[in-house]
């Protein structure tokens, strides 16, 4: 999942100029056959990418994707890594100046 997200972010601005649904289409492709357990297991990869991206737009898109994957996971359980990294995620968002 991590590699797929990074690949999706390459030339994202050009892709978005050509297709306003670029991210939505990519997310759909990434999650099409994802079971709830696979979705839950993918959460750490998404968190890793979230903490590594430096563009506020990509942070927002990654957060949206994390929400999508959580919906597919269909659980109220907070992933242990999300609980562990919550403060770092908030600090990362704050550093980039995004609400």
């Amino acid at each position: 999942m991590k590699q797929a997200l990074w690949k999706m972010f390459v030339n994202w601005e050009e892709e978005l100029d050509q297709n306003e649904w670029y991210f939505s289409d990519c997310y759909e492709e990434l999650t099409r056959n994802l079971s709830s357990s696979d979705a839950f297991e993918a959460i750490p990869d998404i968190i890793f990418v979230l903490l590594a991206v430096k563009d506020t737009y990509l942070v927002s898109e990654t957060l949206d994707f994390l929400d999508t994957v959580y919906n597919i996971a269909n659980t109220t359980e907070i992933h242990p890594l999300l609980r562990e990294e919550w403060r770092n995620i908030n600090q990362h968002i704050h550093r980039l100046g995004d609400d």
Side-chain angles (χ1 to χ4, degrees):
M1 182 68 69
K2 192 181 337 176
Q3 265 50 40
L5 283 172
W6 283 124
K7 183 178 176 185
M8 183 178 64
F9 291 159
V10 173
N11 298 321
W12 67 272
E13 291 171 303
E14 292 84 12
E15 295 289 345
L16 199 56
D17 283 342
Q18 302 217 353
N19 174 9
E20 67 180 294
W21 300 105
Y22 172 69
F23 285 112
S24 179
D25 292 345
C26 289
Y27 296 158
E28 185 176 319
E29 180 68 27
L30 288 175
T31 60
R32 180 171 289 131
N33 298 314
L34 208 56
S35 69
S36 60
S37 62
D38 288 342
F40 192 77
E41 291 174 13
I43 290 170
D45 281 351
I46 301 165
I47 292 170
F48 175 81
V49 172
L50 175 63
L51 289 170
V53 293
K54 304 293 187 219
D55 183 279
T56 56
Y57 192 86
L58 294 181
V59 167
S60 176
E61 287 297 329
T62 308
L63 284 170
D64 285 345
F65 185 61
L66 180 61
D67 182 56
T68 297
V69 170
Y70 248 106
N71 284 327
I72 294 168
N74 196 27
T75 183
T76 58
E77 179 183 353
I78 297 174
H79 194 284
L81 185 64
L82 181 58
R83 185 182 313 275
E84 180 181 319
E85 293 294 339
W86 187 253
R87 180 172 292 195
N88 291 331
I89 291 168
N90 282 316
Q91 289 174 348
H92 183 61
I93 293 168
H94 182 72
R95 271 192 306 272
L96 292 174
D98 196 355
D99 291 333

